[in-house]
């Protein structure tokens, strides 16, 4: 599958049709990139609020909707994995929230150097095509602990599959058996084999589904000035 087939491109300079962009994101089998987006929190929030219900982030962000993903430390510790230079394997954002926002926007204000900080994505549809019925049932039935939530990796809602996976959260809040860790190692490998990568350029706003795909990123140089503005939302139904 060519990456170009998965990307729907727009430019900030053109008249953007919010309803069309909302439709592009409905099925979760494509990503939207808007080129030339201005580096403004207000512009980002106001644009996204026309696509869906914006989530204000209480944890780590003082209730603001736009979060700066950059290397940041407090008392020598990174303030979160997003704020570290570490590799972030394929995952769902907010896997431990009561209600998981189903869409994410990432605005690249300052890209990382060359092949650092490249974003990776895996469509749930690619995974479903790969799994046997038996494997799907296993992922639908087994519950994992995501901090205070018990969730299965696959779920069917209104007849449609969705995915929830964040190995770091799953491993951090429960004592997993050796077989469970092996299962997660196997899943990580499988997800990676089905993933593709996109290197964001300055001014790219990428929009993608959080419930119909997984996302991750490569490691970054500790001294990098990479700055990505993140906003999470629940997209309007069309
Ligand atoms: Fe994330």
């Amino acid at each position: 599958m060519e990456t170009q087939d998965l990307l729907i491109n727009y430019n900030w300079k053109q008249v953007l049709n919010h309803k069309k962009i909302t439709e592009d994101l409905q099925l979760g089998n494509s990503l939207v990139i808007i080129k030339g987006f201005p580096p403004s929190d207000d512009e980002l929030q106001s644009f996204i609020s026309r696509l869906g219900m914006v989530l204000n982030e209480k944890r780590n962000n003082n209730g603001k909707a736009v979060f700066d993903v950059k290397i940041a430390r407090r008392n020598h510790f990174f303030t979160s994995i997003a704020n570290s230079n570490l590799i972030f394997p394929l995952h769902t954002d907010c896997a431990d929230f009561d209600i998981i926002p189903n869409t994410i926007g990432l605005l690249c204000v300052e890209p990382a150097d060359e092949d650092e900080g490249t974003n990776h994505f895996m469509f749930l549809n690619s995974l479903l095509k790969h799994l046997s019925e038996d494997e799907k049932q296993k992922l639908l039935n087994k519950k994992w602990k995501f901090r205070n939530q018990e969730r299965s990796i696959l779920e069917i809602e209104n007849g449609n599959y969705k995915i929830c996976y964040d190995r770091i959260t799953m491993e951090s809040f429960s004592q997993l058996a050796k077989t469970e860790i092996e299962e997660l190692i196997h899943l990580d490998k499988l997800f990676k084999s089905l993933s593709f990568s996109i290197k964001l350029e300055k001014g790219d706003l990428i929009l993608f589904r959080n419930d119909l795909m997984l996302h991750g990123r490569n490691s970054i140089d500790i001294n990098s000035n990479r700055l990505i503005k993140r906003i999470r939302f629940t997209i309007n139904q069309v």
Side-chain angles (χ1 to χ4, degrees), residues 5-198:
D5 299 337
L6 321 167
L7 297 177
I8 303 174
N9 268 280
Y10 294 98
N11 197 299
W12 179 246
K13 290 197 189 87
Q14 71 191 100
V15 179
L16 294 171
N17 181 338
H18 294 77
K19 186 164 176 284
K20 169 75 174 62
I21 294 172
T22 311
E23 285 167 4
D24 294 339
L25 291 162
Q26 284 309 306
L27 295 176
N29 50 14
S30 44
L31 298 102
V32 169
I33 293 195
I34 300 165
K35 308 290 284 182
F37 202 95
S40 152
D41 288 18
D42 289 346
E43 204 75 71
L44 180 58
Q45 186 163 350
S46 114
F47 175 74
I48 296 295
S49 64
R50 295 184 64 186
L51 303 180
M53 173 88 84
V54 169
L55 178 85
N56 292 316
E57 295 192 34
K58 291 185 201 89
R59 196 186 291 167
N60 294 334
N61 207 33
N62 298 325
K64 283 192 298 176
V66 177
F67 178 85
D68 283 354
V69 180
K70 61 180 180 192
I71 295 176
R73 299 183 195 81
R74 197 183 298 136
N75 303 330
H76 305 294
F77 291 100
F78 296 120
T79 45
S80 68
I81 299 163
N83 292 116
S84 78
N85 69 320
L86 306 171
I87 188 169
F88 206 153
L90 290 159
H91 66 280
T92 306
D93 268 13
C94 314
D96 57 333
F97 284 26
D98 291 346
I99 298 167
I100 304 175
N102 67 9
T103 317
I104 298 173
L106 297 177
L107 169 61
C108 179
V109 175
E110 195 56 58
D113 290 340
E114 292 172 15
D115 56 350
E116 288 170 19
T118 303
N119 288 89
H120 302 280
F121 298 93
M122 184 208 72
F123 287 115
L124 171 55
N125 285 339
S126 311
L127 176 66
L128 292 174
K129 274 188 215 146
H130 186 89
L131 295 176
S132 67
E133 276 313 309
D134 197 41
E135 288 169 319
K136 283 182 203 167
Q137 280 309 318
K138 276 191 192 145
L139 292 176
L140 283 166
N141 292 337
K142 181 172 169 62
K143 300 266 194 226
W144 299 81
K145 204 146 189 266
F146 295 85
R147 202 182 294 245
N148 299 320
Q149 310 282 344
E150 296 257 332
R151 291 192 159 120
S152 51
I153 295 171
L154 289 182
E155 203 183 306
I156 298 180
E157 193 180 79
N158 304 323
N160 300 311
Y161 277 96
K162 54 183 203 172
I163 188 164
C164 177
Y165 183 79
D166 178 5
R167 187 167 164 192
I168 294 171
T169 304
M170 293 155 97
E171 282 187 322
S172 301
F173 296 96
S174 45
Q175 198 72 40
L176 298 179
K178 194 164 169 269
T179 50
E180 290 177 315
I181 292 169
E182 280 163 6
E183 209 175 324
L184 294 181
I185 290 170
H186 167 74
L187 283 175
D188 271 358
K189 277 195 194 140
L190 174 61
F191 297 159
K192 201 171 170 201
S193 73
L194 297 169
S195 72
F196 56 93
S197 58
I198 296 177

